[in-house]
Amino acid sequence: MTDRTASTPLVTVSDLHKTFHISRPPREVLRGVSLTVGRGEFVAVMGPSGCGKSTLLHAIGGLEPPDRGTVAVDGQDLHSLDDERLSAFRRDRIGFVFQRFNLISSLTAAENIALPLRLRGRASRPGRTAVMERVSALMDSLSLHRLQGHGPEETSGGEQQRVAIARALAANPVLILADEPTGNLDWSTGHEVMWLISKLCRSEGRSTVLVTHDARIAAYADRVLVMKDGTLVEEVVLDHRADTEGRPPVAGPLIARLADLEL
Ligand SMILES: Nc1ncnc2c1ncn2[C@@H]1O[C@H](COP(=O)(O)OP(=O)(O)OP(=O)(O)O)[C@@H](O)[C@H]1O
Ligand SMILES: [Mg+2]
């Protein structure tokens, strides 16, 4: 049975290794990565382009099998599941937001957001009214109501990313994995999205792992892991006690710390 006590990490990654063999010599992208993410904890991963951040996120989400090492989410060893069970686990427990939005162009914004709920197994699939209520609440909280009947091609990049974030949250995942989720948003919209994600983490016990190049975005996290050449080289714990409700967190100390690392 799954242990749900607060002290048990939601995510436990042990000694992950991954090599891609498409180049010569093969590229060792993850070189022994271990980390834990607590329940309700918000962890950001930063590091230079190509250091393996997206590959790590994909391995945590069960999208990329590691060569060696394990990933456990909510007590489940992901990479020991067969394809069908792994897909069901991802669908019901993990919300993904990618660098590219990956919205389905033939569906409207509301239909894209509703998709994870409609794809659920019969036993846990909510009824039509419950789906509409959930979609409506998410569209409200991400200021998307104007887009209700619009498809992705009729909306801006920033709007598409907000739809993708709403879709990731739709099924109430225990874990949100986000790869540069604010990369296409202006600062004010990005701040609103980060505020929502960090609030969901803290108040609803959801955990988040977010990859970003922007220290102002990473500053929302409880902890920032710094990656270099396929390993984690530094951890920065952030203190949010002085934050004012609704205002962006102070990023100065994190930026200074990152500058010291000379990545
Ligand atoms: N599916 C793949 N097949 C082959 N090589 C890959 C694959 N995915 C990633 N790589 C390579 O692995 C390395 C790390 O890629 P990754 O996408 O994890 O980096 P990243 O830290 O996310 O970079 P960025 O900040 O630019 O997004 C890169 O050299 C990339 O070309
Ligand atoms: Mg990446």
Side-chain angles (χ1 to χ4, degrees):
M1 217 174 106
T2 308
D3 184 353
R4 292 183 178 280
T5 57
S7 58
T8 320
L10 183 82
V11 179
T12 306
V13 171
S14 303
D15 198 27
L16 275 197
H17 288 257
K18 180 79 188 178
T19 298
F20 289 115
H21 292 275
I22 58 161
S23 61
R24 221 170 249 277
R27 179 117 165 72
E28 198 182 0
V29 175
L30 299 180
R31 301 189 300 134
V33 176
S34 299
L35 61 94
T36 59
V37 181
R39 285 166 200 277
E41 192 185 20
F42 182 172
V43 172
V45 181
M46 298 190 77
S49 192
C51 72
K53 304 180 297 296
S54 295
T55 306
L56 172 63
L57 206 69
H58 295 166
I60 294 175
L63 295 171
E64 186 78 68
D67 300 329
R68 216 165 85 209
T70 55
V71 176
V73 176
D74 212 3
Q76 176 63 58
D77 179 355
L78 286 198
H79 297 284
S80 70
L81 293 171
D82 61 32
D83 284 353
E84 198 179 326
R85 288 209 172 94
L86 181 57
S87 300
F89 189 89
R90 277 202 304 258
R91 185 192 62 213
D92 295 341
R93 317 303 298 279
I94 303 177
F96 291 94
V97 185
F98 292 103
Q99 245 164 346
R100 288 183 282 269
F101 320 124
N102 294 353
L103 296 175
I104 296 177
S105 59
S106 57
L107 299 181
T108 65
E111 287 164 348
N112 264 291
I113 296 169
L115 203 60
L117 296 170
R118 298 206 191 282
L119 291 177
R120 283 198 139 183
R122 195 180 290 269
S124 61
R125 196 181 309 151
R128 194 179 147 76
T129 312
V131 170
M132 281 166 63
E133 279 172 9
R134 177 80 184 134
V135 169
S136 187
L138 283 162
M139 292 190 96
D140 267 348
S141 60
L142 285 154
S143 311
L144 286 169
H145 256 300
R146 201 177 58 73
L147 303 180
Q148 189 109 31
H150 293 254
E153 272 133 40
E154 301 166 284
T155 51
S156 73
E159 288 166 340
Q160 289 186 49
Q161 189 60 306
R162 278 186 286 150
V163 172
I165 289 164
R167 182 185 56 182
L169 296 172
N172 272 320
V174 286
L175 176 63
I176 298 167
L177 299 177
D179 199 340
E180 294 276 358
T182 59
N184 290 295
L185 305 182
D186 61 64
W187 168 239
S188 149
T189 315
H191 161 61
E192 278 168 32
V193 164
M194 291 312 299
W195 187 254
L196 182 76
I197 291 178
S198 52
K199 199 173 77 182
L200 284 167
C201 256
R202 297 199 173 98
S203 64
E204 298 180 13
R206 241 182 275 270
S207 306
T208 299
V209 182
L210 170 138
V211 168
T212 181
H213 284 282
D214 187 341
R216 293 177 307 170
I217 295 298
Y220 286 82
D222 299 308
R223 213 155 35 102
V224 180
L225 303 176
V226 182
M227 198 167 179
K228 191 179 176 185
D229 296 336
T231 58
L232 295 175
V233 294
E234 183 80 21
E235 174 186 80
V236 183
V237 177
L238 300 175
D239 181 358
H240 291 290
R241 278 175 303 184
D243 290 352
T244 317
E245 177 86 8
R247 300 261 301 277
V250 176
L254 174 62
I255 293 170
R257 189 77 182 272
L258 293 170
D260 283 346
L261 291 172
E262 294 177 2
L263 293 169

